[in-house]
Amino acid sequence: MSNLIVHGGTPLRGRITPSANKNAVLPVLCATLLTREPLRLHGVPDITDVRKILDIFRMLGSSVQLDEATGTLSLHHQNTVFDPAQHRLPEEMRSSIMLIPPLLARFGVARLEDNVKGCTLGVREIDPHVEVFQRFGGTVERAEGSLLVRSSQQGALTPTDHWLDYASVTTTENFVLCAVAANGTSTLTNAASEPHVQEFCRFMVMLGARIDGIGTSRITVQGGAALGGGEFRFDEDFHEITTFLALGAITGGDVIVRNSAPGNFPLIDRTFAKFGVVVTHEDGWSRAHCPGPLKVQTPFTSNVLTKVEAAPWPYFPVDLLPIFIALGVRAQGNCMFWNKVYDGALGWTGELSKFGAHVFSSDPHRLITFGGNPLSPALVESPYIIRVAIALFMVAASIEGRSEIRNAAPIRRAHPRFVENLRSLGVNVEWTSEE
Protein backbone atom coordinates (compact mmCIF):
# COMPACT_ATOMS: atom_id res chain seq x y z
CA MET A 1 0.00 0.00 0.00
CA SER A 2 2.45 2.67 -1.16
CA ASN A 3 0.78 4.70 -3.93
CA LEU A 4 -1.61 7.64 -3.68
CA ILE A 5 -4.49 8.05 -6.13
CA VAL A 6 -6.02 11.52 -6.23
CA HIS A 7 -8.87 12.96 -8.27
CA GLY A 8 -7.81 16.60 -8.25
CA GLY A 9 -9.38 19.93 -8.99
CA THR A 10 -11.40 20.26 -5.76
CA PRO A 11 -10.63 23.22 -3.47
CA LEU A 12 -9.71 22.02 0.03
CA ARG A 13 -11.86 23.49 2.79
CA GLY A 14 -12.07 22.86 6.54
CA ARG A 15 -10.10 22.71 9.79
CA ILE A 16 -7.17 20.46 10.66
CA THR A 17 -5.39 19.68 13.91
CA PRO A 18 -1.86 18.59 12.94
CA SER A 19 0.19 15.87 14.59
CA ALA A 20 3.44 16.39 16.50
CA ASN A 21 6.75 16.86 14.69
CA LYS A 22 8.48 13.52 14.16
CA ASN A 23 11.84 15.32 14.43
CA ALA A 24 10.90 16.35 17.98
CA VAL A 25 9.22 13.09 18.99
CA LEU A 26 12.04 10.74 17.97
CA PRO A 27 14.89 12.42 19.91
CA VAL A 28 12.60 12.78 22.93
CA LEU A 29 11.85 9.06 22.80
CA CYS A 30 15.58 8.33 22.64
CA ALA A 31 16.19 10.66 25.59
CA THR A 32 13.70 8.81 27.79
CA LEU A 33 16.28 6.04 28.19
CA LEU A 34 18.33 8.41 30.35
CA THR A 35 15.89 8.16 33.26
CA ARG A 36 14.61 5.21 35.27
CA GLU A 37 11.57 7.21 36.39
CA PRO A 38 8.11 6.80 34.78
CA LEU A 39 7.14 9.18 31.95
CA ARG A 40 3.94 10.10 30.18
CA LEU A 41 4.04 11.75 26.75
CA HIS A 42 0.97 13.32 25.12
CA GLY A 43 0.41 13.77 21.38
CA VAL A 44 2.68 10.95 20.22
CA PRO A 45 1.89 10.37 16.51
CA ASP A 46 1.17 6.91 15.15
CA ILE A 47 3.95 6.83 12.55
CA THR A 48 6.32 4.10 11.43
CA ASP A 49 9.48 5.49 13.06
CA VAL A 50 7.75 5.81 16.44
CA ARG A 51 6.60 2.20 16.23
CA LYS A 52 10.16 1.07 15.48
CA ILE A 53 11.63 2.85 18.50
CA LEU A 54 8.89 1.50 20.78
CA ASP A 55 9.65 -1.99 19.47
CA ILE A 56 13.30 -1.42 20.45
CA PHE A 57 12.21 -0.42 23.96
CA ARG A 58 10.10 -3.56 24.30
CA MET A 59 13.02 -5.68 23.07
CA LEU A 60 15.22 -4.14 25.78
CA GLY A 61 12.67 -4.89 28.50
CA SER A 62 11.15 -1.45 29.03
CA SER A 63 7.52 -0.96 29.96
CA VAL A 64 5.64 0.58 26.99
CA GLN A 65 1.94 1.45 26.97
CA LEU A 66 0.53 3.45 24.04
CA ASP A 67 -3.06 4.60 23.75
CA GLU A 68 -3.25 5.00 19.97
CA ALA A 69 -6.63 6.76 20.14
CA THR A 70 -5.31 9.64 22.27
CA GLY A 71 -1.59 9.47 21.44
CA THR A 72 -0.72 9.08 25.13
CA LEU A 73 2.43 7.05 25.76
CA SER A 74 3.51 5.74 29.17
CA LEU A 75 7.16 4.64 29.44
CA HIS A 76 9.22 3.17 32.24
CA HIS A 77 12.81 2.11 31.60
CA GLN A 78 13.46 0.80 35.10
CA ASN A 79 14.19 -2.79 34.02
CA THR A 80 15.83 -2.01 30.67
CA VAL A 81 18.87 -4.13 29.71
CA PHE A 82 21.27 -3.94 26.76
CA ASP A 83 23.56 -6.71 25.52
CA PRO A 84 25.78 -5.62 22.59
CA ALA A 85 26.23 -9.25 21.56
CA GLN A 86 22.49 -9.64 21.18
CA HIS A 87 20.91 -6.21 20.71
CA ARG A 88 21.52 -4.00 17.69
CA LEU A 89 19.83 -0.77 16.77
CA PRO A 90 18.12 -0.90 13.36
CA GLU A 91 19.48 0.82 10.28
CA GLU A 92 16.07 1.64 8.79
CA MET A 93 15.88 5.07 10.43
CA ARG A 94 18.52 7.68 11.01
CA SER A 95 17.20 8.55 14.47
CA SER A 96 18.60 5.25 15.79
CA ILE A 97 21.92 7.03 16.21
CA MET A 98 20.40 9.12 19.02
CA LEU A 99 19.93 5.98 21.12
CA ILE A 100 23.71 5.69 21.47
CA PRO A 101 24.27 8.40 24.17
CA PRO A 102 21.65 7.07 26.63
CA LEU A 103 22.91 3.51 26.11
CA LEU A 104 26.47 4.70 26.75
CA ALA A 105 25.31 6.49 29.89
CA ARG A 106 23.46 3.48 31.27
CA PHE A 107 25.43 0.49 29.98
CA GLY A 108 28.74 1.89 28.74
CA VAL A 109 28.22 0.40 25.26
CA ALA A 110 25.97 0.66 22.20
CA ARG A 111 25.85 -1.15 18.88
CA LEU A 112 24.41 0.36 15.72
CA GLU A 113 24.05 -1.05 12.23
CA ASP A 114 26.73 0.48 10.02
CA ASN A 115 24.44 1.94 7.35
CA VAL A 116 21.93 4.14 9.17
CA LYS A 117 19.75 6.00 6.71
CA GLY A 118 16.76 8.28 6.37
CA CYS A 119 15.31 10.14 3.42
CA THR A 120 17.41 10.02 0.23
CA LEU A 121 18.51 13.65 0.36
CA GLY A 122 22.12 13.14 -0.68
CA VAL A 123 25.26 12.24 1.22
CA ARG A 124 24.48 12.23 4.96
CA GLU A 125 27.61 11.26 6.84
CA ILE A 126 27.72 10.02 10.41
CA ASP A 127 31.24 11.40 10.99
CA PRO A 128 29.94 14.42 13.00
CA HIS A 129 28.19 12.00 15.39
CA VAL A 130 31.28 9.83 15.70
CA GLU A 131 33.31 12.95 16.52
CA VAL A 132 30.84 13.94 19.25
CA PHE A 133 31.02 10.49 20.85
CA GLN A 134 34.81 10.66 20.79
CA ARG A 135 34.86 14.18 22.26
CA PHE A 136 32.95 12.84 25.27
CA GLY A 137 35.47 10.04 25.74
CA GLY A 138 33.80 7.32 23.72
CA THR A 139 35.59 4.90 21.42
CA VAL A 140 34.06 3.94 18.07
CA GLU A 141 35.05 0.84 16.11
CA ARG A 142 33.63 -1.16 13.23
CA ALA A 143 32.55 -4.71 14.04
CA GLU A 144 30.89 -7.12 11.59
CA GLY A 145 28.74 -4.62 9.69
CA SER A 146 28.01 -2.45 12.71
CA LEU A 147 29.46 0.33 14.81
CA LEU A 148 30.43 -0.50 18.39
CA VAL A 149 30.61 2.54 20.70
CA ARG A 150 32.00 2.30 24.23
CA SER A 151 32.63 4.75 27.04
CA SER A 152 35.84 4.47 29.06
CA GLN A 153 33.79 2.87 31.80
CA GLN A 154 30.06 2.39 32.25
CA GLY A 155 28.26 5.72 32.31
CA ALA A 156 31.47 7.74 32.51
CA LEU A 157 31.29 10.43 29.81
CA THR A 158 33.72 13.35 29.95
CA PRO A 159 32.40 16.93 29.51
CA THR A 160 33.74 18.83 26.52
CA ASP A 161 33.53 21.97 24.37
CA HIS A 162 32.84 21.41 20.69
CA TRP A 163 32.31 23.49 17.52
CA LEU A 164 30.27 21.83 14.77
CA ASP A 165 31.27 22.06 11.10
CA TYR A 166 27.64 22.86 10.32
CA ALA A 167 24.45 23.26 12.34
CA SER A 168 23.25 19.65 12.24
CA VAL A 169 19.99 18.90 14.06
CA THR A 170 20.67 15.30 15.08
CA THR A 171 24.32 16.02 15.94
CA THR A 172 23.20 18.87 18.22
CA GLU A 173 20.71 16.56 19.91
CA ASN A 174 23.35 13.85 20.33
CA PHE A 175 25.69 16.42 21.89
CA VAL A 176 23.00 17.43 24.40
CA LEU A 177 22.25 13.78 25.23
CA CYS A 178 25.94 13.11 25.91
CA ALA A 179 26.42 16.38 27.80
CA VAL A 180 23.51 15.70 30.14
CA ALA A 181 25.13 12.39 31.10
CA ALA A 182 28.64 13.87 31.50
CA ASN A 183 29.55 15.16 34.96
CA GLY A 184 30.49 18.80 34.29
CA THR A 185 29.95 21.69 31.88
CA SER A 186 29.83 21.15 28.10
CA THR A 187 29.38 23.81 25.43
CA LEU A 188 28.39 23.44 21.78
CA THR A 189 29.01 26.20 19.23
CA ASN A 190 27.19 26.30 15.87
CA ALA A 191 24.34 24.35 17.38
CA ALA A 192 21.13 23.78 15.41
CA SER A 193 18.20 25.85 16.68
CA GLU A 194 15.14 24.54 14.79
CA PRO A 195 11.79 24.50 16.64
CA HIS A 196 12.03 20.72 17.09
CA VAL A 197 15.51 21.08 18.64
CA GLN A 198 14.10 23.66 21.04
CA GLU A 199 11.21 21.34 21.89
CA PHE A 200 13.64 18.49 22.56
CA CYS A 201 15.69 20.73 24.86
CA ARG A 202 12.55 21.79 26.75
CA PHE A 203 11.81 18.12 27.36
CA MET A 204 15.33 17.61 28.72
CA VAL A 205 14.82 20.57 31.07
CA MET A 206 11.54 19.00 32.23
CA LEU A 207 13.52 15.88 33.18
CA GLY A 208 15.88 18.03 35.25
CA ALA A 209 18.66 18.87 32.80
CA ARG A 210 20.28 22.31 33.01
CA ILE A 211 20.59 23.84 29.53
CA ASP A 212 21.35 27.45 28.64
CA GLY A 213 21.06 28.97 25.16
CA ILE A 214 18.03 27.04 23.89
CA GLY A 215 17.08 28.44 20.50
CA THR A 216 20.52 29.95 19.87
CA SER A 217 23.65 28.72 18.12
CA ARG A 218 25.53 28.25 21.40
CA ILE A 219 24.27 25.74 23.99
CA THR A 220 25.76 25.15 27.44
CA VAL A 221 24.82 22.05 29.42
CA GLN A 222 25.52 21.47 33.11
CA GLY A 223 25.66 17.69 33.15
CA GLY A 224 25.60 15.01 35.81
CA ALA A 225 22.29 15.87 37.47
CA ALA A 226 19.92 13.00 38.24
CA LEU A 227 17.01 13.00 35.82
CA GLY A 228 13.43 12.40 36.89
CA GLY A 229 10.13 11.60 35.25
CA GLY A 230 7.02 13.60 34.47
CA GLU A 231 4.56 14.52 31.72
CA PHE A 232 5.19 16.30 28.44
CA ARG A 233 2.90 17.42 25.62
CA PHE A 234 4.23 17.89 22.08
CA ASP A 235 3.51 20.97 19.96
CA GLU A 236 1.94 20.77 16.53
CA ASP A 237 4.41 20.12 13.72
CA PHE A 238 5.20 23.39 11.93
CA HIS A 239 5.99 21.33 8.81
CA GLU A 240 2.50 19.83 8.79
CA ILE A 241 0.89 23.19 9.53
CA THR A 242 2.66 24.67 6.52
CA THR A 243 1.77 21.67 4.36
CA PHE A 244 -1.96 22.00 4.92
CA LEU A 245 -1.89 25.77 4.49
CA ALA A 246 -0.10 25.24 1.17
CA LEU A 247 -2.60 22.58 0.11
CA GLY A 248 -5.41 25.03 0.70
CA ALA A 249 -3.62 27.72 -1.31
CA ILE A 250 -2.64 25.56 -4.29
CA THR A 251 -6.18 24.23 -4.70
CA GLY A 252 -7.85 27.63 -4.30
CA GLY A 253 -9.48 26.52 -1.06
CA ASP A 254 -9.68 27.70 2.52
CA VAL A 255 -7.87 25.56 5.12
CA ILE A 256 -7.54 26.57 8.77
CA VAL A 257 -4.89 24.77 10.82
CA ARG A 258 -4.34 24.53 14.56
CA ASN A 259 -1.09 26.33 15.48
CA SER A 260 -0.06 26.99 19.07
CA ALA A 261 3.36 28.41 18.11
CA PRO A 262 2.84 31.14 15.47
CA GLY A 263 6.13 32.68 16.61
CA ASN A 264 7.86 30.14 14.36
CA PHE A 265 6.17 31.49 11.24
CA PRO A 266 7.26 35.04 10.29
CA LEU A 267 9.70 33.89 7.59
CA ILE A 268 7.38 31.11 6.41
CA ASP A 269 4.56 33.68 6.15
CA ARG A 270 6.78 36.00 4.08
CA THR A 271 7.68 33.09 1.80
CA PHE A 272 3.99 32.36 1.22
CA ALA A 273 3.57 36.04 0.38
CA LYS A 274 6.10 35.68 -2.46
CA PHE A 275 3.40 33.64 -4.26
CA GLY A 276 0.50 35.94 -3.40
CA VAL A 277 -0.66 33.95 -0.37
CA VAL A 278 -1.59 35.82 2.82
CA VAL A 279 -1.24 33.88 6.09
CA THR A 280 -2.99 35.05 9.26
CA HIS A 281 -2.75 33.73 12.84
CA GLU A 282 -5.59 34.22 15.30
CA ASP A 283 -6.70 32.49 18.52
CA GLY A 284 -4.41 29.50 18.05
CA TRP A 285 -5.34 28.89 14.40
CA SER A 286 -3.60 29.74 11.13
CA ARG A 287 -5.19 30.39 7.74
CA ALA A 288 -3.80 30.86 4.23
CA HIS A 289 -5.81 33.07 1.89
CA CYS A 290 -5.09 33.85 -1.76
CA PRO A 291 -7.15 36.81 -2.97
CA GLY A 292 -6.54 35.85 -6.61
CA PRO A 293 -4.58 33.31 -8.67
CA LEU A 294 -1.19 32.24 -7.34
CA LYS A 295 1.34 34.71 -8.70
CA VAL A 296 5.06 35.15 -8.04
CA GLN A 297 5.56 38.65 -6.67
CA THR A 298 8.10 40.86 -8.44
CA PRO A 299 11.00 41.94 -6.19
CA PHE A 300 11.63 45.63 -5.60
CA THR A 301 14.91 45.04 -7.43
CA SER A 302 13.02 44.12 -10.56
CA ASN A 303 15.92 42.73 -12.60
CA VAL A 304 16.49 39.76 -10.26
CA LEU A 305 14.48 36.56 -9.75
CA THR A 306 12.28 36.04 -6.74
CA LYS A 307 14.18 33.54 -4.56
CA VAL A 308 13.41 31.02 -1.85
CA GLU A 309 16.68 30.20 -0.08
CA ALA A 310 16.61 27.23 2.30
CA ALA A 311 19.26 26.48 4.92
CA PRO A 312 19.47 25.59 8.64
CA TRP A 313 17.14 27.54 10.95
CA PRO A 314 16.57 30.46 11.23
CA TYR A 315 16.73 30.34 7.43
CA PHE A 316 13.68 29.08 5.57
CA PRO A 317 13.46 25.33 6.43
CA VAL A 318 15.01 22.99 3.87
CA ASP A 319 12.35 20.35 4.57
CA LEU A 320 9.65 22.71 3.32
CA LEU A 321 11.33 23.62 0.03
CA PRO A 322 9.48 20.95 -2.04
CA ILE A 323 6.15 22.31 -0.78
CA PHE A 324 6.97 25.75 -2.15
CA ILE A 325 8.38 24.36 -5.40
CA ALA A 326 4.88 22.93 -5.93
CA LEU A 327 3.45 26.43 -5.38
CA GLY A 328 6.03 27.83 -7.82
CA VAL A 329 4.93 25.38 -10.51
CA ARG A 330 1.32 26.54 -10.20
CA ALA A 331 1.97 30.26 -9.71
CA GLN A 332 2.24 32.68 -12.62
CA GLY A 333 5.81 33.89 -12.98
CA ASN A 334 9.31 32.60 -12.36
CA CYS A 335 11.06 31.77 -9.10
CA MET A 336 14.46 30.38 -8.05
CA PHE A 337 14.70 27.76 -5.29
CA TRP A 338 18.02 27.21 -3.55
CA ASN A 339 18.74 24.22 -1.30
CA LYS A 340 21.90 25.17 0.56
CA VAL A 341 22.15 21.93 2.53
CA TYR A 342 21.60 18.72 0.55
CA ASP A 343 23.28 17.92 -2.74
CA GLY A 344 20.73 15.35 -3.91
CA ALA A 345 17.46 16.89 -2.84
CA LEU A 346 16.30 18.40 -6.16
CA GLY A 347 16.72 15.44 -8.50
CA TRP A 348 13.04 14.60 -8.23
CA THR A 349 11.88 17.77 -10.00
CA GLY A 350 12.01 16.08 -13.41
CA GLU A 351 8.81 14.30 -12.35
CA LEU A 352 7.05 17.67 -12.46
CA SER A 353 7.47 17.74 -16.24
CA LYS A 354 5.07 14.79 -16.42
CA PHE A 355 2.36 17.19 -15.30
CA GLY A 356 3.51 19.62 -18.02
CA ALA A 357 5.44 21.87 -15.63
CA HIS A 358 8.48 23.82 -16.82
CA VAL A 359 11.34 23.45 -14.34
CA PHE A 360 15.02 24.14 -15.04
CA SER A 361 17.78 22.70 -12.82
CA SER A 362 20.66 25.17 -12.64
CA ASP A 363 22.91 22.83 -10.61
CA PRO A 364 22.49 20.23 -7.81
CA HIS A 365 21.39 22.96 -5.38
CA ARG A 366 19.28 25.38 -7.45
CA LEU A 367 16.33 25.28 -9.82
CA ILE A 368 13.96 27.73 -11.46
CA THR A 369 10.22 27.23 -11.93
CA PHE A 370 8.51 28.86 -14.90
CA GLY A 371 4.99 28.70 -13.54
CA GLY A 372 1.50 29.28 -14.78
CA ASN A 373 1.58 26.72 -17.63
CA PRO A 374 -1.49 24.52 -18.24
CA LEU A 375 -1.01 21.23 -16.38
CA SER A 376 -2.63 17.83 -16.81
CA PRO A 377 -2.97 14.73 -14.59
CA ALA A 378 -0.04 12.31 -14.55
CA LEU A 379 1.53 9.18 -13.09
CA VAL A 380 4.67 10.24 -11.19
CA GLU A 381 7.32 8.52 -9.07
CA SER A 382 8.44 9.90 -5.73
CA PRO A 383 11.91 9.32 -4.26
CA TYR A 384 12.17 8.31 -0.62
CA ILE A 385 11.71 11.88 0.64
CA ILE A 386 8.67 12.70 2.78
CA ARG A 387 7.76 16.16 1.55
CA VAL A 388 8.64 15.44 -2.07
CA ALA A 389 5.85 12.85 -2.08
CA ILE A 390 3.59 15.53 -0.59
CA ALA A 391 4.73 18.17 -3.13
CA LEU A 392 3.88 15.84 -6.02
CA PHE A 393 0.53 15.18 -4.38
CA MET A 394 -0.07 18.94 -4.05
CA VAL A 395 0.42 19.50 -7.77
CA ALA A 396 -1.84 16.54 -8.56
CA ALA A 397 -4.54 17.80 -6.19
CA SER A 398 -4.58 21.16 -7.98
CA ILE A 399 -5.23 19.56 -11.41
CA GLU A 400 -8.67 18.32 -12.44
CA GLY A 401 -8.56 14.58 -13.16
CA ARG A 402 -6.94 11.38 -11.87
CA SER A 403 -3.25 11.35 -10.93
CA GLU A 404 -1.12 8.77 -9.17
CA ILE A 405 1.91 9.32 -6.96
CA ARG A 406 3.90 6.10 -6.76
CA ASN A 407 6.11 5.25 -3.78
CA ALA A 408 4.34 7.75 -1.53
CA ALA A 409 4.84 5.60 1.59
CA PRO A 410 7.44 7.99 3.14
CA ILE A 411 4.51 10.27 4.04
CA ARG A 412 3.61 7.74 6.74
CA ARG A 413 6.99 8.36 8.41
CA ALA A 414 5.87 11.84 9.45
CA HIS A 415 2.15 12.37 8.95
CA PRO A 416 -0.39 10.03 10.59
CA ARG A 417 -3.91 10.11 9.18
CA PHE A 418 -2.71 12.12 6.19
CA VAL A 419 -5.28 10.68 3.81
CA GLU A 420 -8.04 10.83 6.43
CA ASN A 421 -7.28 14.53 7.00
CA LEU A 422 -7.34 15.17 3.27
CA ARG A 423 -10.70 13.47 2.91
CA SER A 424 -12.10 15.64 5.70
CA LEU A 425 -11.12 18.64 3.56
CA GLY A 426 -13.01 17.28 0.55
CA VAL A 427 -10.26 15.52 -1.43
CA ASN A 428 -11.00 12.30 -3.32
CA VAL A 429 -7.84 10.36 -2.41
CA GLU A 430 -6.90 6.80 -1.50
CA TRP A 431 -3.95 4.52 -0.87
CA THR A 432 -3.46 1.66 -3.29
CA SER A 433 -0.92 -1.12 -3.79
CA GLU A 434 1.94 -1.02 -6.30
CA GLU A 435 0.40 -3.71 -8.47
Side-chain angles (χ1 to χ4, degrees), residues 225-249:
L227 300 183
E231 296 196 29
F232 186 81
R233 182 174 297 277
F234 289 102
D235 292 337
E236 300 93 358
D237 178 9
F238 73 101
H239 294 129
E240 190 166 329
I241 294 167
T242 306
T243 295
F244 280 105
L245 292 175
L247 274 162

Side-chain angles (χ1 to χ4, degrees), residues 83-147:
D83 180 357
Q86 175 185 356
H87 299 138
R88 297 189 182 188
L89 309 179
E91 64 176 325
E92 290 86 0
M93 56 182 180
R94 192 167 179 81
S95 56
S96 292
I97 205 164
M98 289 183 289
L99 289 166
I100 289 178
L103 291 176
L104 285 180
R106 289 189 63 161
F107 307 106
V109 63
R111 189 171 189 142
L112 177 70
E113 296 301 311
D114 197 3
N115 187 28
V116 291
K117 56 191 177 185
C119 289
T120 52
L121 291 166
V123 177
R124 304 177 77 183
E125 58 184 351
I126 67 168
D127 291 61
H129 300 276
V130 171
E131 189 173 28
V132 163
F133 302 147
Q134 292 171 335
R135 295 282 295 186
F136 281 98
T139 61
V140 182
E141 59 185 81
R142 297 189 184 275
E144 298 179 5
S146 63
L147 295 177

Side-chain angles (χ1 to χ4, degrees), residues 351-358 373-376 378:
E351 292 296 304
L352 294 169
S353 65
K354 297 178 180 179
F355 292 113
H358 184 186
N373 295 329
L375 303 182
S376 56

